[in-house]
Amino acid sequence: MTASRVEVYGVRHHGPGSARALRAALEDFKPDAVLIEGPPEADPIVELAADPGMVPPVALLAYSPAGTGEDRRAAFWPFAEFSPEWQAVRHALATGAQVRFCDLPAANQLVPLTDEEPVAEGSGDGPDGADEGIRLDPLGWLARAAGYDDTERWWDDVVEHRHGGPSPFPAIAEAMAELRARVDARPEESGLPAGYLRREERREAYMRRTVRRVLKEGHERVAVVCGAWHVPALLAGVPAARDDRTLRGLPKTKVAMTWVPWTHGRLAGWSGYGAGVRSPGWYHHLFTAPDRPVERWLTAAARVLRAEDLHVSSAHVIEAVRLAEALAALRGRPLAGLEEVTEATRAVLCEGADLPVELVRERLVVGERLGAVPERTPMVPLQRDLRAEQRRLRLRPSALDKEQDLDLRKPTDLDRSHLLHRLRLVGVEWGVPSESRSKGTFRETWTLAWRPEFDVELIEASAWGTTVRGAATARAEALAGGAGALADLTSVAERCLLADLGDALPTVMRALADRAAVDTDVAHLMAALPALVRALRYGDVRGTSTGPLHTVVDGLVVRICVGLPAAVAGLDDDAARDTLGRVDAVHGALSLLAHEGHLERWRRTLESMVARPDALHGLVEGRLTRLLHDAGRLPDVPDRMARAVSVGAAPARAAAWVEGFLSGGGLLLLHDDALLRLVDGWISGLPGDSFTDVLPLLRRTFGAYGAAERRAIGERARRLHAGAGAPRPPGDDLDEARAAPAAATALTILGWEGAR
């Protein structure tokens, strides 16, 4: 290799200064072949980078097409517009130079490392540390040698913020050569895993082999773009025979290669990406706005704040620019960096407030954006089907969280809901439904955010089918076949109805009916019922046939009512609390179902249970009493509470009874002075030791109420102690004549016209 025929450019991945300097160097060198650090399997699809539909950030994705789940391995090679490698690809395609990737093939890299050992700790703290510190963080060593304590700050000052001047690549190559000379002379002292060192040796051997092949093909001006650390290894005069021995017999696996959209957030170091940068948004700005970057950045920050109705004038921007430049001058920086413009934003544009600064950080510093790939990019059929569905339903993927409200009475919104539920079935969580949505209504709220790994999940899910509907159907049938509990089966049935998977329902319903018929555990039956009731309600709302579900629900309700009295006898505290949750869930489900026969059977069951209070835990008895009181089925609730909290009752049981009775909310105490007097008198009459014992239970009960509710209960209790002659709070008097129209309207809405 001679310098006149081969130029090696050592870059830092995803650096705007490196990208700009590399573009200038390539324009000056005019190579007829450009080799780029990356998987050579991507050579057949590299020309897609010139397609107008290819919009960075994007990534090369290598994956194993065989196997599913943990057997599948995948790797990404991301590119932003400000990545030097991306600029090298675009330059080569624009000038007609041959472009290839020269790293070790993905087929070899996706084979797991072997002989790995822990890396020695405490080895990269400074110039006196072990050599692995240099290998793992060479830029950090150079930064410390230059007197910087921040690697990013040093690199920004010497490379990314540079405009014009001589090419930085000779200096970078010289610096890397010095560092490599130190670590390569003592490989046995590296302290790094043996598998890692072998992998790096093979990568560099393959890069050298690729350079030789390109030269042998007759190319006269070859440019090699790689990580700066590899430059000395590529320029070293290593014999070809030695590289051949290094690469002989490498294990490999079958891989496929494609392009996928990427995001700026996944280019950030905090995302866990090893070659990540501190601020993708700032770097993108530096690359796309080389002239007056500080002024343009602060103007954009002002635009973000104004969009949120915050007052920011032109004078604010001017003063912020002056402050940023003054800070840069004081710190000896060639250009105000992200730290300086952020401080200026906080001090001037945001007037010291942190919340607006966080807004600017989210919108500009990260600068989240989602790339795009052209239609002719290689994809599995499932990916293509999803893209077609996204276009049909006008659901455009976005890297930012986006709220999507759906009205299920509209055909398009209903189809959108079906698509999102089907994707969740196959493991692609593009949309997450809001937990606050009402059950059985015509509305759904989703939070949509596209993540790059969804493409890998779609590839994995393609084992289930070639369309989203087909894959979701096959997945639902498999889940039904492998369900370990009745509640799991009811959940699958509910998801099938939400996703409109009529083809899967017969299989799921057969498995559900068979399991429900033989399961005798009342707890299992109670856990299964709510999902089935929701499924029935969703079916009514969506117009989906739910006939088979009615039969299963009818059977479950009967079996729960028959088995519940025996199941709640003799419970300890933990079991009683679990039962309380299941009782509430079944009660809410039957109320939602609004089937009078089932509700009447359930209430009679509860009445039979509270008729034998000695067999019930206090928590359960109190809760059942409250449910029946709310339904108007117990006329003697004050007497029952008086007995439960009487002097003869154990304080712990009395506290549990009160907790169960009040767990549905404290409004009852606000409107029933008799019950409030009973609770207040019981608490006031507790001996000191007993009060200490029951205090945690009371705090748990009343702590679940809102602050306004607790305050109102306290006011009521204060008035009880003050006596009947105590002044009433202002506005507490009720004008029945004025309240009558509002009460009549409320009764009409509730369907209780006859109660007026």
Side-chain angles (χ1 to χ4, degrees):
M1 305 177 202
T2 63
S4 61
R5 301 182 64 192
V6 177
E7 287 287 344
V8 182
Y9 302 100
V11 300
R12 184 196 184 189
H13 306 299
H14 318 305
S18 297
R20 193 178 298 112
L22 177 62
R23 189 86 186 213
L26 293 176
E27 291 172 356
D28 182 61
F29 182 53
K30 296 180 175 57
D32 57 4
V34 177
L35 305 182
I36 299 169
E37 182 181 326
E41 290 93 342
D43 288 352
I45 60 173
V46 69
E47 54 86 20
L48 288 172
D51 192 297
M54 184 76 77
V55 181
V58 293
L60 286 168
L61 166 63
Y63 63 93
S64 170
T68 58
E70 295 181 354
D71 294 332
R72 185 183 302 280
R73 295 179 62 84
F76 296 96
W77 285 262
F79 301 91
E81 187 174 358
F82 51 82
S83 300
E85 297 89 343
W86 179 258
Q87 290 301 317
V89 169
R90 295 298 296 264
H91 174 83
L93 294 174
T95 60
Q98 186 178 84
V99 56
R100 293 186 189 175
F101 291 99
C102 61
D103 204 348
L104 190 68
N108 303 121
Q109 297 206 47
L110 291 185
V111 176
L113 293 172
T114 57
D115 301 331
E116 286 197 302
E117 298 174 359
V119 179
E121 296 182 358
S123 57
D125 298 331
D128 295 327
D131 291 341
E132 70 269 19
I134 299 178
R135 182 182 291 273
L136 296 178
D137 186 19
L139 297 184
W141 278 67
L142 294 176
R144 287 189 288 272
Y148 283 72
D149 58 1
D150 187 328
T151 303
E152 296 279 344
R153 189 184 185 92
W154 171 77
W155 183 258
D156 284 348
D157 285 351
V158 300
V159 177
E160 307 305 348
H161 292 171
R162 293 176 73 254
H163 293 280
S167 172
F169 298 111
I172 292 173
E174 182 179 356
M176 292 298 118
E178 290 295 326
L179 294 178
R180 288 290 296 253
R182 173 170 178 172
V183 299
D184 290 347
R186 297 178 295 180
E188 70 281 355
E189 300 178 10
S190 70
L192 290 169
Y196 173 84
L197 293 176
R198 280 202 304 273
R199 177 65 56 81
E200 290 299 292
E201 181 183 7
R202 292 165 178 169
R203 291 180 62 201
E204 292 172 348
Y206 195 90
M207 292 183 196
R208 290 190 293 263
R209 173 189 280 183
T210 304
V211 174
R212 295 189 192 100
R213 288 177 176 175
V214 171
L215 291 173
K216 188 176 181 180
E217 292 171 1
H219 294 282
E220 298 180 352
R221 305 179 69 80
V222 179
V224 183
V225 180
C226 62
W229 180 255
H230 301 297
V231 172
L234 299 190
L235 294 175
V238 178
R242 176 179 167 183
D243 285 342
D244 290 341
R245 287 195 300 271
T246 300
L247 298 171
R248 186 175 299 128
L250 292 185
K252 63 180 181 180
T253 186
K254 184 179 180 181
V255 298
M257 182 71 65
T258 188
W259 289 97
V260 296
W262 203 248
T263 66
H264 271 180
R266 291 305 174 91
L267 289 171
W270 48 260
S271 70
Y273 174 40
V277 297
R278 184 174 296 174
S279 170
W282 173 250
Y283 272 11
H284 179 82
H285 174 76
L286 288 180
F287 185 77
T288 56
D291 61 312
R292 307 179 73 84
V294 175
E295 292 87 339
R296 295 180 184 274
W297 177 270
L298 291 170
T299 300
R303 190 177 299 115
V304 168
L305 297 174
R306 287 171 183 165
E308 298 297 326
D309 294 329
L310 298 175
H311 175 66
V312 181
S313 67
S314 299
H316 282 94
V317 176
I318 294 171
E319 289 304 316
V321 170
R322 290 174 177 170
L323 177 57
E325 292 176 343
L327 290 172
L330 286 172
R331 296 167 181 173
R333 307 196 70 180
L335 178 73
L338 181 60
E339 295 85 353
E340 287 73 30
V341 296
T342 300
E343 291 178 34
T345 299
R346 175 180 285 105
V348 182
L349 302 186
C350 303
E351 299 180 347
D354 288 331
L355 191 58
V357 177
E358 182 63 21
L359 180 65
V360 172
R361 190 198 73 82
E362 291 179 0
R363 303 282 178 84
L364 292 182
V365 177
V366 175
E368 190 63 288
R369 64 180 63 204
L370 178 67
V373 298
E375 284 296 324
R376 57 194 185 96
T377 302
M379 298 180 190
V380 297
L382 186 59
Q383 288 174 294
R384 293 201 178 278
D385 182 67
L386 175 58
R387 286 170 69 97
E389 288 292 287
Q390 289 169 336
R391 288 193 300 271
R392 181 178 71 86
L393 300 175
R394 299 187 298 280
L395 277 178
R396 183 176 180 181
S398 170
L400 296 172
D401 288 353
K402 178 183 177 182
E403 293 292 326
Q404 185 80 41
D405 291 320
L406 302 180
D407 185 343
L408 303 182
R409 293 168 295 185
K410 299 178 180 178
T412 299
D413 279 0
L414 183 59
D415 286 349
R416 288 170 175 170
S417 174
H418 291 159
L419 175 64
L420 295 173
H421 282 293
R422 290 167 186 170
L423 287 173
R424 296 192 80 209
L425 258 173
V426 298
V428 180
E429 298 278 345
W430 177 26
V432 177
S434 171
E435 293 295 333
S436 62
R437 62 185 172 91
S438 300
K439 304 298 183 184
T441 71
F442 286 101
R443 304 200 68 83
E444 281 184 347
T445 300
W446 294 78
T447 300
L448 305 182
W450 188 263
R451 304 288 181 255
E453 61 268 21
F454 291 163
D455 282 291
V456 178
E457 292 168 1
L458 284 168
I459 292 169
E460 292 180 353
S462 64
W464 298 105
T466 58
T467 66
V468 176
R469 183 187 184 97
T473 297
R475 178 63 172 153
E477 292 174 344
L479 288 173
L486 182 60
D488 295 335
L489 273 171
T490 59
S491 175
V492 175
E494 178 184 15
R495 297 173 75 181
C496 285
L497 288 170
L498 292 172
D500 190 28
L501 300 178
D503 293 341
L505 269 178
T507 300
V508 176
M509 291 310 304
R510 281 195 299 271
L512 178 60
D514 293 345
R515 182 66 59 85
V518 299
D519 199 325
T520 58
D521 191 322
V522 174
H524 291 171
L525 302 178
M526 296 177 75
L529 184 65
L532 287 179
V533 170
R534 289 195 302 269
L536 284 174
R537 294 294 294 174
Y538 286 134
D540 293 340
V541 170
R542 295 163 180 264
T544 308
S545 175
T546 56
L549 280 179
H550 282 284
T551 303
V552 177
V553 168
D554 293 344
L556 285 181
V557 172
V558 172
R559 294 171 62 195
I560 289 171
C561 291
V562 170
L564 183 59
V568 298
L571 300 178
D572 60 19
D573 291 344
D574 292 337
R577 195 164 300 280
D578 292 340
T579 299
L580 188 71
R582 287 192 288 269
V583 167
D584 280 343
V586 170
H587 186 80
L590 293 178
S591 299
L592 176 64
L593 186 60
H595 187 288
E596 284 301 324
H598 292 331
L599 276 173
E600 181 61 26
R601 181 186 295 274
W602 172 249
R603 289 165 182 164
R604 288 202 306 267
T605 301
L606 300 186
E607 288 172 343
S608 69
M609 293 166 64
V610 297
R612 297 181 292 108
D614 294 341
L616 298 177
H617 189 281
L619 192 66
V620 176
E621 183 192 355
R623 187 63 187 140
L624 299 185
T625 303
R626 173 64 181 277
L627 294 178
L628 291 170
H629 172 72
D630 290 346
R633 302 292 287 256
L634 287 181
D636 59 341
V637 169
D639 295 338
R640 290 175 179 271
M641 177 176 278
R643 289 194 297 270
V645 300
S646 64
V647 176
R653 176 179 171 79
W657 195 99
V658 171
E659 181 184 358
F661 185 80
L662 298 179
S663 62
L667 289 177
L668 189 64
L669 295 180
L670 291 176
H671 300 290
D672 194 324
D673 284 349
L675 294 180
L676 180 60
R677 284 192 181 92
L678 287 172
V679 175
D680 180 68
W682 167 65
I683 296 175
S684 301
L686 285 172
D689 293 343
S690 298
F691 179 80
T692 303
D693 292 339
V694 302
L695 183 59
L697 297 177
L698 295 173
R699 291 191 63 179
R700 180 165 55 201
T701 300
F702 288 94
Y705 300 162
E709 203 171 20
R710 292 197 303 269
R711 189 182 308 110
I713 293 174
E715 286 292 327
R716 287 277 183 181
R718 182 183 63 80
R719 286 169 45 203
L720 290 177
H721 286 284
R728 298 174 66 86
D732 200 45
D733 293 329
L734 176 65
D735 187 333
E736 294 187 4
R738 296 180 62 189
T745 302
L747 291 172
T748 301
I749 293 174
L750 295 173
W752 295 348
E753 292 90 346
R756 280 183 279 177

